[in-house]
Amino acid sequence: MQTEKVLPVLCCKSTFDTEHKNEVLFTGERGAMSRTTHTQAIVFSLKPLGENNSSVRLITATDGLIFATLYGGPKSRLRPFVSPWNSGTLYLYVNGRTGTRKITDFDVKSYHLSFRSSLYKTYAASLAAELVLQTNCAGNAPGCFPLVSGFLDGLDSVSVEQARTGLLRFLWRYLALLGVRPDAACCASCGKPFPSGASGGIRVSLADGFLCAACASSFHAHDSTMRAVPETVIRYLAAISHCAPAAARAVPIDADTERHVRALLFFLTEQAVGKPLKTLTLSGGIL
């Protein structure tokens, strides 16, 4: 009787874990564990890698900022889908021996097409991406991804005028994610709420936050980072601080207050990053 020959099985293990759902793990070369996985992702940029491939920079819901390789160059079937600002479900092969990632598929849910026809929206999206890159997702990838994803989706669906205030709300929320957003409801020194009619008396200090006139003059007179903040700016920032995005969008803001809020938030954001943001410089005042 002929003996049946049994072939060795190379794919030795598959599993499901709580951190990387729907992963398939298997043993590759030299026993290194490799895996295929998928996650929600947004494409930030592509750079040439060799003659025909691209190095893709993305933000993902599970791992924050990552690099992944797109093979095949311009002729790749995935090239039209793996483009800046596209978002959706990303499928990856992760080499367990080298740690490198290869894009195997990308199911795009949103192309953010309006960015292509609006210079303002392009710069606003670029500012958000630069902020994420400079702060490494604010050290909080699970909190950063939905914030950025929601901002880009909202930016794509509104007019340029609405996008301007949308950028301000995003920056204010991102400062909270970084843990450096000052409390706009009360003085950071004495804890008292800012009274109505405090125009000209409120100051902001990088070291302490928003200060009433008494505390600013008594304890922080020599703070070189201190600057005046109009009362309307404080009222607007306090109003949008703890409400849902839909409610925040409904908070009214006039042109003069918007201008002062923008200047303040750009200042606070660059101070939080620790250096000037290139997007603000290159935009030439468009933002």
Side-chain angles (χ1 to χ4, degrees):
M1 182 175 65
Q2 186 175 4
T3 304
E4 182 178 357
K5 186 177 181 181
V6 179
L7 297 176
V9 179
L10 296 179
C11 185
C12 65
K13 180 181 180 183
S14 65
T15 188
F16 179 91
D17 73 54
T18 56
E19 291 187 0
H20 299 282
K21 294 180 175 61
N22 300 318
E23 289 186 354
V24 177
L25 307 183
F26 56 92
T27 301
E29 297 180 13
R30 300 181 183 178
M33 196 65 74
S34 299
R35 60 189 170 94
T36 59
T37 184
H38 67 268
T39 182
Q40 296 303 301
I42 303 168
V43 179
F44 276 174
S45 63
L46 289 86
K47 291 184 179 180
L49 182 66
E51 293 185 3
N52 296 312
N53 306 322
S54 297
S55 177
V56 186
R57 186 66 149 163
L58 310 102
I59 179 174
T60 68
T62 52
D63 298 308
L65 291 167
I66 67 168
F67 282 106
T69 301
L70 175 64
Y71 288 94
K75 295 183 179 180
S76 168
R77 68 175 181 84
L78 293 176
R79 185 63 184 85
F81 305 107
V82 184
S83 297
W85 313 127
N86 287 359
S87 63
T89 304
L90 179 72
Y91 295 83
L92 295 167
Y93 165 77
V94 184
N95 189 309
R97 185 168 58 88
T98 63
T100 56
R101 297 175 174 91
K102 171 187 174 182
I103 297 175
T104 58
D105 205 354
F106 192 34
D107 182 12
V108 179
K109 301 300 184 184
S110 179
Y111 291 88
H112 300 119
L113 294 177
S114 69
F115 295 4
R116 302 179 185 180
S117 58
S118 170
L119 194 57
Y120 179 86
K121 291 184 179 183
T122 299
Y123 274 123
S126 297
L127 179 61
E130 183 181 3
L131 189 54
V132 170
L133 291 168
Q134 291 294 337
T135 62
N136 193 23
C137 296
N140 182 357
C144 185
F145 183 83
L147 179 59
V148 174
S149 179
F151 171 62
L152 295 182
D153 289 346
L155 194 65
D156 185 45
S157 64
V158 299
S159 66
V160 172
E161 290 71 22
Q162 293 170 314
R164 293 184 186 279
T165 53
L167 175 60
L168 303 183
R169 293 191 298 272
F170 168 77
L171 293 176
W172 188 238
R173 292 191 181 100
Y174 202 88
L175 288 172
L177 193 66
L178 283 168
V180 297
R181 187 174 79 181
D183 187 351
C186 58
C187 176
S189 185
C190 66
K192 296 179 180 179
F194 294 116
S196 298
S199 180
I202 302 174
R203 300 286 188 272
V204 62
S205 164
L206 292 180
D208 298 286
F210 293 119
L211 301 166
C212 65
C215 292
S217 59
S218 300
F219 306 108
H220 304 270
H222 302 293
D223 188 343
S224 61
T225 67
M226 194 178 303
R227 57 193 296 171
V229 180
E231 182 189 4
T232 55
V233 171
I234 292 292
R235 301 300 176 204
Y236 177 77
L237 293 177
I240 67 172
S241 290
H242 304 293
C243 58
R249 288 194 294 270
V251 176
I253 182 172
D254 58 65
D256 188 58
T257 300
E258 182 182 326
R259 178 173 59 85
H260 282 98
V261 170
R262 182 180 300 106
L264 174 63
L265 291 181
F266 287 174
F267 170 72
L268 292 176
T269 301
E270 288 193 323
Q271 294 298 320
V273 173
K275 61 181 179 180
L277 292 167
K278 293 181 180 179
T279 306
L280 292 180
T281 301
L282 295 175
S283 65
I286 292 176
L287 291 176

